[in-house]
Amino acid sequence: MTDLAGSDSTQTLLLLAIFALASLLHGISGLGVTLVTTTALASMYPLPHAIVLVIFPSLLLNVMTWLAGGGRTIWQNFTYYGRRYWLLALTSLLGSVLGAKLLLWVDSAYILLVLAAVIGFYVMSSLLGKQIRLPDTKPVLVIVGFSAGVVGGATNAMSTILMMYLLSASNDKNTIAKVGNLCYFLGKIAQIIVLREPIMALSHGEWQLIALLSVLSIAALLVGIRLRRYLPQARFRQLILLILTVLGIRVGWQGMAAILS
């Protein structure tokens, strides 16, 4: 893998800026951090490496979401929502294992096209202001959970599919956030297990960079949460959608160019 510690300092500063901006916007608007960072990095590095760099900062943000609100500890959240949504969590975990393996088995060009398509769907549904709701049935749960896991494991875009089911299964925002993060957390664990060799191959300098990105992401997220009450969230959601559109077009072009070359 590329040794980021020895790479150009401008590139390192760009990475820091990407994570800081994405986390700040996520704190203000409540969306975008994992998808923005993954898509941005996928235009700079091979997709498996981009996924590896995002795993640990994302895990920390998951933990913060689990600690926020609800009056329960991380373990209490895990057991409480796990009992109620264990099948969704299990199917998303199994899908995430397959999705992460696809990063090692399939040409990244095809996965980049999937990522671009998922971003396009996400942006269009957000701009139209319509959330697609699916029937709250067990077969739908299994299909959506597994599909969301596969997409999440390969592209870090699990939420775009998972939310279609969660919005139909519950009207409680806290439940939707907690269950969603339970599935995201398990997806990250699956990625760590499947991608353990690329992770273990990271250099000391790369681990230092990941630690710095993690700390910076948390700090920027907290600042964004503080700013949320003073700034118009809708404008920042629009900004995230614009950023995702540009990044989505870029990775889609990369994928097409790689396939046609």
Side-chain angles (χ1 to χ4, degrees):
M1 280 195 173
T2 306
D3 187 349
L4 296 180
S7 66
D8 186 83
S9 59
T10 303
Q11 195 171 41
T12 301
L13 289 174
L14 180 59
L15 278 178
L16 295 174
I18 289 169
F19 274 80
L21 177 62
S23 300
L24 180 68
L25 292 175
H26 188 94
I28 294 170
S29 67
L31 56 85
V33 61
T34 302
L35 200 51
V36 169
T37 52
T38 302
T39 312
L41 266 62
S43 64
M44 300 165 60
Y45 304 103
L47 185 58
H49 192 50
I51 295 287
V52 166
L53 290 176
V54 174
I55 286 177
F56 294 99
S58 295
L59 263 180
L60 288 176
L61 295 179
N62 281 148
V63 171
M64 288 184 64
T65 303
W66 273 65
L67 285 172
R72 297 185 181 92
T73 64
I74 294 176
W75 178 249
Q76 287 172 336
N77 274 317
F78 191 87
T79 54
Y80 177 76
Y81 292 105
R83 280 197 301 269
R84 297 175 60 191
Y85 292 94
W86 68 270
L87 186 56
L88 183 66
L90 177 61
T91 52
S92 66
L93 173 62
L94 295 175
S96 295
V97 171
L98 176 58
K101 284 185 176 294
L102 290 177
L103 283 169
L104 305 176
W105 295 342
V106 178
D107 188 330
S108 291
Y110 295 100
I111 300 180
L112 287 175
L113 290 180
V114 172
L115 177 56
V118 171
I119 289 172
F121 170 80
Y122 179 77
V123 170
M124 289 302 297
S125 61
S126 298
L127 288 175
L128 293 173
K130 296 178 180 179
Q131 292 288 353
I132 298 175
R133 295 173 183 262
L134 300 173
D136 184 13
T137 63
K138 191 163 291 186
V140 170
L141 180 152
V142 171
I143 293 170
V144 171
F146 188 77
S147 301
V150 172
V151 172
T155 68
N156 273 348
M158 181 188 289
S159 62
T160 55
I161 297 176
L162 195 63
M163 282 299 133
M164 290 190 294
Y165 174 77
L166 289 176
L167 287 168
S168 65
S170 175
N171 292 319
D172 179 47
K173 290 184 178 180
N174 193 56
T175 297
I176 292 171
K178 299 295 185 184
V179 175
N181 271 275
L182 169 62
C183 296
Y184 308 153
F185 179 82
L186 292 174
K188 290 289 167 281
I189 297 301
Q191 286 177 326
I192 290 172
I193 293 171
V194 174
L195 301 175
R196 60 188 178 278
E197 289 188 10
I199 291 172
M200 295 302 293
L202 291 171
S203 67
H204 179 68
E206 288 173 312
W207 280 113
Q208 286 182 323
L209 179 59
I210 288 172
L212 181 58
L213 292 173
S214 299
V215 172
L216 182 64
S217 296
I218 291 174
L221 181 78
L222 292 174
V223 171
I225 291 172
R226 285 290 184 90
L227 292 175
R228 185 181 295 177
R229 70 187 72 175
Y230 307 111
L231 298 173
Q233 293 182 39
R235 289 293 176 86
F236 287 92
R237 292 173 74 89
Q238 291 170 355
L239 177 58
I240 288 176
L241 294 178
L242 176 61
I243 292 170
L244 282 173
T245 299
V246 174
L247 292 174
I249 292 171
R250 184 172 179 180
V251 296
W253 178 260
Q254 279 183 275
M256 284 298 298
I259 291 173
L260 296 174
S261 63

